[in-house]
Structure formats: C-alpha cells, structure tokens
Amino acid sequence: AEFALFNGGFIGVDIFFVISGYLITSILINDLDKNNFKFTHFFEKRIRRILPTLIFVVIVCLPFAWFLMNPIQLNNFGKSLLAVIFFVSNFFFWKESSYFEIASGEKPLIHTWSLAVEEQYYLFFPFFLFFLWKFGKNKIFIIVIILSALSLFLSEWGWRNRPDANFYLTPTRIWEILFGSIACFISYAKKIKKNEFFSIVGFILVILSIFLFNDDYPHPSILTTIPVVGVVLIILFGAKGTITNKILSNKFFVNIGIISYSAYLLHQPIFTFT
C-alpha cells in the first residue's frame, strides 16, 4: 500500500509462519501421542481451512483480469492461476520477478507464494514426525533444531547470492516455521510459566520490526530472527494475565485475527486491479 510508516509490514508473513508452525506441530503431537493420527484427517482439515476462501478469491479475480489486463498480463495471470492451484506459486513467481519490484504490484496472486511454502511444509512435516515418532520427542526436537539452523544458514547465504530464490523458496523459509515447531516442543515438554518481561520483549521485537524494517533489509536473513524470536517469546511466555496477552486478546485484535486469512488473500488483488 506504500504507507511509509509501515514499511516492514511484510514481516506479517514471517509472524504467520511461526504461528502456523506452532499450531500444526501442536495438532500433530497431540494426535501422535494419542495414537490417533491419520494423514487423511490432517489433510482434510487443511483443505477445508485453505481452499474455500482461496477459490473464492480466484473466482473474484477472473472478471477484473479479463476486463483490465492486456493480453500479456492476462497470459501471465493464467499461468499464475495454474501455479496457485498446484501450490507451486512460490516457484512460479521466483522465476518471474523480485517481490519488491514495481512490476510485482501488477500480479494479483503474487502473495500466494506464502501459501505455497505453507503447503509444502504440510506435505513434508507430518511424514517427518510420523516416521521419526518411534525415536522419541527429544531426538526429533534435536533434529528440528538442526534443520532450522541449516535453513537459517542457507538463508543467510541466499540473500547474498540468490536473493529472489532466498525470498520465495521453502528451504530458506522453513526455519521460520520450524521456530514455531521448536516453541511447541518446548511448551509440550514442560510447563512454561508466564513471564511478563519476556512476553513484552517479544511484543516489542515484533512491533519494532514492523516500523523499522524496509525493502532494503536483506530478507529473510539473520535479521528476520528479530520478529521470529519475538513471536516465539510471545507464544511461550505471553500466557493469560500478562500485559501482552491482554493486548492481543482485545476483541478488536481478535476480530482482525479471525478475518486475517481472508483479508490477506484479498489485499493484493484489490491493490493490483485498483
């Protein structure tokens, strides 16, 4: 939207990745612990959560694309539709252009790259947990930490050498989701007591990132750990009774959270076609 005050608004996706990693890992661990995990049930719930709104937004885009786009743009839009349907739009847009180029503002579905990363995580992580579950949560936890470190290292190399691939592709993004998984393993292993200081620090890290980050920052990179760690601190220490919890459980913010997925899917088409 080019509001200079919120130049770092794009870190909302990173926040989303951490929360998603925490939530999905919680669901999987609970089901595996109860010996109640089924791949069909897991994927059915993800499909019900993601596809209806996504399909609706795509349908809404069609008449606007038909009337407002020139033939070349319309052709690219059609290709992006296929990429979205098969959840490989991050690969498609990686090959096309940088996310922060002016031309990206003319792509109504460019923001679906994050859904593609999310879906690719869904395809990998349940199988990963399922087949390693017999070795115990402690060993899986160590492996997740190692994978996170490798992904973060690759990301730090990537922004210097392959910035577009670094932005769009799952290997350099999955560390953000796995940080959420790490938070889940920690909270599952032992009772984490609420902590006013750490939860406020996490909240401040997230807010500062929104106001201080901009397009010139390497992203994702080691700097992205600032909002990511902030979210982890909120998840672990922002229990009921803390100031952070009181702020985030306010009805206004909760209602924004409820519509956030739909709002995210709609914002880019609105900007593009306008």
Side-chain angles (χ1 to χ4, degrees), residues 131-196:
F131 289 113
L132 293 181
W133 192 249
K134 60 186 175 182
F135 297 107
K137 286 193 279 287
N138 289 337
K139 290 182 180 178
I140 296 174
F141 178 62
I142 293 170
I143 295 172
V144 169
I145 291 176
I146 293 171
L147 289 176
S148 301
L150 290 173
S151 175
L152 179 57
F153 177 81
L154 184 62
S155 177
E156 191 62 17
W157 176 89
W159 76 261
R160 292 178 170 87
N161 298 279
R162 297 288 188 274
D164 289 342
N166 181 54
F167 185 91
Y168 283 111
L169 300 187
T170 303
T172 52
R173 283 285 186 175
I174 200 167
W175 68 269
E176 301 174 39
I177 304 177
L178 292 179
F179 265 53
S181 300
I182 289 170
C184 177
F185 274 103
I186 292 172
S187 62
Y188 205 84
K190 55 184 177 179
K191 182 72 174 177
I192 303 292
K193 295 182 179 179
K194 66 182 179 182
N195 187 295
E196 198 75 73

Side-chain angles (χ1 to χ4, degrees), residues 64-78:
F64 289 97
W66 178 264
F67 285 110
L68 295 174
M69 287 181 160
N70 65 41
I72 294 174
Q73 291 171 324
L74 194 59
N75 181 49
N76 287 334
F77 174 71

Side-chain angles (χ1 to χ4, degrees), residues 96-140:
E96 279 220 316
S97 65
S98 167
Y99 186 83
F100 295 107
E101 285 181 5
I102 294 174
S104 69
E106 299 176 1
K107 303 177 192 300
L109 298 176
I110 192 170
H111 60 317
T112 61
W113 71 267
S114 62
L115 288 184
V117 171
E118 181 84 354
E119 284 295 321
Q120 288 154 23
Y121 165 76
Y122 290 164
L123 290 174
F124 150 75
F125 202 66
F127 290 97
F128 167 81
L129 275 187
F130 181 78
F131 289 113
L132 293 181
W133 192 249
K134 60 186 175 182
F135 297 107
K137 286 193 279 287
N138 289 337
K139 290 182 180 178
I140 296 174

Side-chain angles (χ1 to χ4, degrees), residues 197-259:
F197 174 76
F198 286 130
S199 63
I200 290 175
V201 168
F203 189 74
I204 291 172
L205 289 176
V206 172
I207 297 299
L208 284 178
S209 301
I210 294 170
F211 287 100
L212 298 180
F213 280 32
N214 59 50
D215 300 358
D216 297 326
Y217 279 64
H219 185 77
S221 69
I222 195 71
L223 287 173
T224 312
T225 59
I226 295 172
V228 166
V229 169
V231 179
V232 170
L233 290 176
I234 293 172
I235 289 172
L236 289 178
F237 300 105
K240 192 173 182 179
T242 60
I243 294 173
T244 301
N245 185 278
K246 289 176 182 176
I247 294 172
L248 296 179
S249 60
N250 178 277
K251 283 186 178 181
F252 175 76
F253 292 120
V254 170
N255 287 331
I256 289 177
I258 290 170
I259 66 166

